[in-house]
Amino acid sequence: MASAIYFCDIKGRPLLSRKYRDDIPLTAIDKFASLLADLEEESSVIPPCLTYNNTQYLFIQHSDIYLVAITNLLRTNIAEVFAFLYKIIDVLGDYLKTVEEESIRDNYVIIYELLDELMDYGIPQITETKMLKQYITQKSFKLVKAAKKKQNAARPPSALTDSVSWRSEGIKYKKNEAFLDIVESINMLMTQKGQILRSEILGVVKIKSRLSGMPDLKLGINDKGIFSKQLTEDDTNNNATSKKQNKIELEDLKFHQCVRLSKFETEKIITFIPPDGDFELMNYRLSTSIKPLIWCDMNVQVHSNSRIEIHCRAKAQIKKKSTATNVEILIPVPEDADTPNFKYSHGSIKWVPEKSAILWKIRSFPGGKEYSMAAELCLPSTSSKSEEVQNKKPVQVKFQIPYFTTSGIQVRYLKINEPKLQYKSYPWVRYITQSGDDYTIRLI
């Protein structure tokens, strides 16, 4: 897959490297800095793949370093390479806390040890931090004295040689429990008139496993929601109901390595032996047209060289039995606005001058309810330019809705079986819908 992995500074100069194959010259990395400099001069957008003399440079940027994989194979799986590079950053983050040029220079020994275990002959091997930390610790900076007996030397855990490399044997708990959270984040871009310009659902299934032994879990999820498109495509009848379900388009679906993919493809049942502790079982994305869960009707009036009036009417467009919590509505105002005066029917409002905005907080927002606020601020130096800046900033909305999923995904069952111990277990399931990083309303 990859012939070598290089850590480079922000200029593309190598800091540390690990070569896995002899099919590239030692001087291959020397060209990376010049290729990078040429691209920075020509364009502000730098592609993550560069080619020179049949050598491919695949790289990502993190903080003030570049992580570069070099290969000369045209049949290389590009997606696998980038997934591995990001995994290296995650693993180093667990060991070094912050991954940057200084921390790379200060931790050569531990990084070399990790690179030896993460990849072998250019093929990814052990990428689970929990497994790596069993025998690569901070003590590995120290050399083991030759006088010590061989049996005292650190050995890799037996789990690394098993088919279940993400879980070690001998785990015991007094109370065996499994906690499953389905969290869906809504990203949405709306106009002031209520038109939806873009919407998507980003979902993640999180599990906290506190189970003894080597349990085998079976998770059954209803057909509605994230699996609708797959089931419709496999359906040969093509009836009207199937066409209606096909409106939900599955964009992406990613499983943890513990999931048996063959079982899922044939029966749409997720079976797995979980890692111990917290992990993400599954990620998915849906691009589908949905109505705003929290809608804000905005009315902004700017009185030239005088003041600005803002009226906001917020409505929870969810079922009456549901309640949105920790709602925050960040409303932009001109940078030179001051002397705010507020009126509101619910929650609390404060002026945030460092963000040039008004923050309206509503701790509990039941479905179907509607609240309003009004604000008046002075504009000592308002001009047409200030109005243009005001209009370019969108309203940002944050919220959480427990016991609710927008896609309609539901857990039918979560069965836990440990063939040797045969203990009683207690699975817990929770649903949460929340705003994503980009839930905004344009004021133009």
Side-chain angles (χ1 to χ4, degrees):
M1 184 188 80
S3 300
I5 299 294
Y6 284 87
F7 289 85
C8 301
D9 62 16
I10 199 63
K11 297 294 185 181
R13 295 168 297 199
L15 302 171
L16 180 151
S17 66
R18 177 63 171 89
K19 195 174 181 182
Y20 298 99
R21 297 181 181 179
D22 295 327
D23 55 356
I24 61 169
L26 293 174
T27 57
I29 191 62
D30 297 339
K31 191 62 181 177
F32 177 69
S34 59
L35 291 173
L36 200 63
D38 293 342
L39 283 173
E40 289 177 347
E41 292 179 0
E42 296 174 1
S43 174
S44 58
V45 179
I46 301 176
C49 304
L50 302 177
T51 302
Y52 181 80
N53 285 348
N54 295 324
T55 300
Q56 285 76 45
Y57 301 84
L58 314 176
F59 61 95
I60 62 174
Q61 183 179 359
H62 179 83
S63 186
D64 59 349
I65 65 169
Y66 285 101
L67 186 55
V68 187
I70 300 182
T71 179
N72 64 359
L73 300 176
L74 295 177
R75 63 180 182 274
T76 299
N77 188 329
I78 303 297
E80 185 180 10
V81 174
F82 282 111
F84 179 71
L85 293 179
Y86 282 108
K87 189 63 180 179
I88 291 178
I89 296 297
D90 291 340
V91 171
L92 290 182
D94 291 333
Y95 275 88
L96 311 181
K97 304 305 179 184
T98 58
V99 184
E100 55 189 23
E101 181 179 344
E102 184 177 356
S103 62
I104 297 297
R105 292 184 182 276
D106 292 342
N107 293 276
Y108 279 161
V109 175
I110 192 71
I111 294 174
Y112 273 120
E113 290 191 26
L114 288 170
L115 291 177
D116 283 339
E117 301 299 334
L118 287 166
M119 179 173 278
D120 183 25
Y121 196 63
I123 301 173
Q125 298 296 312
I126 307 164
T127 58
E128 283 292 326
T129 307
K130 291 180 181 179
M131 293 294 102
L132 292 168
K133 282 191 173 182
Q134 291 189 33
Y135 65 103
I136 297 182
T137 67
Q138 296 299 330
K139 293 181 180 180
S140 60
F141 283 104
K142 300 178 181 179
L143 297 176
V144 179
K145 294 183 179 180
K148 289 189 176 181
K149 296 182 180 180
K150 293 183 178 180
Q151 58 265 31
N152 292 333
R155 293 186 177 91
S158 59
L160 298 182
T161 59
D162 297 337
S163 58
V164 186
S165 62
W166 53 87
R167 185 182 180 92
S168 58
E169 296 181 356
I171 298 174
K172 292 183 179 180
Y173 288 100
K174 291 183 178 180
K175 186 176 182 181
N176 293 282
E177 297 177 306
F179 302 87
L180 186 147
D181 288 344
I182 297 181
V183 183
E184 291 188 343
S185 300
I186 309 299
N187 287 326
M188 185 175 292
L189 177 61
M190 301 158 277
T191 66
Q192 192 173 2
K193 296 182 179 180
Q195 180 184 1
I196 308 299
L197 302 178
R198 183 182 69 251
S199 63
E200 68 173 359
I201 302 171
L202 300 178
V204 57
V205 179
K206 300 180 179 180
I207 290 183
K208 182 177 183 179
S209 172
R210 297 178 60 84
L211 300 171
S212 304
M214 297 292 283
D216 201 324
L217 277 63
K218 181 183 292 186
L219 174 63
I221 297 180
N222 61 331
D223 295 343
K224 183 180 179 183
I226 66 173
F227 302 143
S228 296
K229 186 174 187 291
Q230 289 184 338
L231 293 174
T232 303
E233 290 176 345
D234 295 338
D235 189 359
T236 56
N237 295 328
N238 291 328
N239 53 32
T241 304
S242 297
K243 292 180 180 179
K244 184 177 181 180
Q245 290 179 347
N246 199 32
K247 291 181 180 178
I248 299 180
E249 296 183 0
L250 180 65
E251 296 291 338
D252 192 13
L253 183 58
K254 179 183 177 183
F255 289 108
H256 189 275
Q257 62 175 320
C258 67
V259 175
R260 301 182 181 95
L261 295 180
S262 58
K263 190 78 170 178
F264 172 76
E265 291 173 355
T266 56
E267 301 180 26
K268 296 297 181 291
I269 296 176
I270 303 172
T271 60
F272 57 98
I273 297 175
D276 186 45
D278 299 325
F279 71 101
E280 292 186 0
L281 178 71
M282 180 176 68
N283 299 83
Y284 58 91
R285 180 174 61 192
L286 291 167
S287 292
T288 181
S289 179
I290 57 177
K291 70 176 183 180
L293 302 180
I294 302 296
W295 166 245
C296 297
D297 185 10
M298 300 293 304
N299 183 12
V300 180
Q301 295 181 348
V302 179
H303 302 277
S304 181
N305 297 319
S306 176
R307 57 192 173 88
I308 180 173
E309 292 184 10
I310 299 173
H311 296 270
C312 177
R313 182 168 55 89
K315 184 176 182 180
Q317 299 186 141
I318 54 179
K319 295 180 180 179
K320 292 184 178 180
K321 63 181 181 179
S322 298
T323 300
T325 60
N326 300 319
V327 179
E328 294 185 2
I329 304 172
L330 191 67
I331 305 170
V333 299
E335 295 182 357
D336 56 352
D338 59 14
T339 319
N341 184 24
F342 304 126
K343 293 181 181 179
Y344 49 95
S345 61
H346 200 79
S348 63
I349 295 181
K350 69 175 182 178
W351 180 36
V352 189
E354 62 271 18
K355 294 184 178 180
S356 299
I358 297 169
L359 181 59
W360 184 14
K361 291 186 177 181
I362 304 173
R363 181 174 296 181
S364 179
F365 204 156
K369 289 289 185 178
E370 185 176 302
Y371 301 128
S372 60
M373 62 79 65
E376 183 177 288
L377 298 93
C378 294
L379 299 176
S381 60
T382 299
S383 63
S384 59
K385 184 177 180 180
S386 297
E387 294 178 23
E388 291 177 2
V389 173
Q390 162 70 19
N391 289 335
K392 290 180 181 180
K393 295 180 180 180
V395 175
Q396 299 177 356
V397 183
K398 295 181 180 180
F399 59 85
Q400 281 191 347
I401 307 174
Y403 317 112
F404 172 78
T405 58
T406 308
S407 67
I409 181 176
Q410 288 186 348
V411 175
R412 290 184 292 161
Y413 56 83
L414 178 59
K415 298 180 180 179
I416 303 172
N417 178 40
E418 213 297 331
K420 293 183 179 180
L421 302 179
Q422 293 290 332
Y423 52 73
K424 290 184 179 180
S425 56
Y426 305 92
W428 305 89
V429 180
R430 181 174 60 174
Y431 304 94
I432 301 175
T433 292
Q434 62 187 17
S435 57
D437 296 331
D438 186 20
Y439 191 101
T440 54
I441 303 171
R442 288 182 177 176
L443 294 180
I444 55 174

